[in-house]
Amino acid sequence: MISSRARVVFVLLLTCAGLGLAEGKPIFANLAYMLAGLLVVAFLWSRSSLSGITFTRQGRTHRGQVGVPFEESFVLRNASRWPKVWLEIEDLSDLPGHRVSTVLTGFGASRERKWPVRTICRERGRFHLGPTRLVGGDPFGLFPAVRFLAESQHVVILPMTLPL
């Protein structure tokens, strides 16, 4: 995936290379080399941004009740030797009010992050938990890397019960 920023850098690269050839001034050639190096380094960094990343979700149960919190825990692991500058986790669940999506910065090498999420169940029905989309990339935002984790679970939210 190529962002509009990468297109702008590529156009600047072509412009500097063209001016360097036409004018013969070394500043344009140096700028063209720098921009080409930036594109190569950003592309390679983006390719490695999601390597070694694993994401798991664990629900306590597959059933809930209206008015009662539904609890789920998440574990993100970086098994790579390299730290990740930023990671975006976007949850595509359809459980109403279930807000899991987050952005992590400075996620170190061989690290693990765990966090719980509690959601008050508002509606009854059968809902999907997942899939999850992981987004990473280079620090300049030129080449975003996206990976979908298609694991999906179901949770059934039952009606509220009242003591008689």
Side-chain angles (χ1 to χ4, degrees):
M1 180 177 205
I2 298 175
S3 70
S4 60
R5 291 179 188 173
R7 289 186 182 106
V8 169
V9 172
F10 188 71
V11 167
L12 286 174
L13 167 69
L14 293 178
T15 304
C16 287
L19 286 173
L21 290 173
E23 298 290 324
K25 294 186 179 179
I27 185 73
F28 293 120
N30 291 338
L31 282 173
Y33 290 138
M34 183 195 68
L35 291 172
L38 173 71
L39 286 174
V40 169
V41 168
F43 180 76
L44 294 175
W45 194 322
S46 175
R47 287 289 174 197
S48 68
S49 67
L50 293 180
S51 65
I53 297 292
T54 58
F55 179 76
T56 56
R57 62 189 317 151
Q58 302 158 346
R60 294 180 85 192
T61 180
H62 295 290
R63 286 188 299 173
Q65 186 177 2
V66 173
V68 177
F70 174 75
E71 295 182 8
E72 195 174 20
S73 63
F74 298 93
V75 178
L76 183 71
R77 288 186 184 91
N78 180 8
S80 172
R81 295 185 304 174
W82 305 103
K84 307 305 179 191
V85 176
W86 63 275
L87 291 171
E88 178 183 346
I89 301 160
E90 184 180 0
D91 183 43
L92 303 174
S93 300
D94 60 357
L95 179 64
H98 196 56
R99 303 285 180 243
V100 178
S101 301
T102 187
V103 175
L104 300 173
T105 57
F107 192 46
S110 302
R111 303 292 300 273
E112 175 178 282
R113 285 214 184 145
K114 298 178 185 178
W115 68 96
V117 174
R118 294 180 56 170
T119 303
I120 302 293
C121 300
R122 299 181 197 159
E123 297 179 22
R124 64 184 180 151
R126 183 173 186 230
F127 301 101
H128 295 278
L129 298 175
T132 307
R133 186 174 90 147
L134 295 177
V135 181
D138 61 285
F140 308 107
L142 298 178
F143 301 102
V146 178
R147 183 182 351 154
F148 282 94
L149 304 174
E151 327 174 332
S152 181
Q153 302 171 353
H154 296 285
V155 62
V156 176
I157 306 299
L158 303 172
M160 182 186 298
T161 58
L162 299 173
L164 296 177

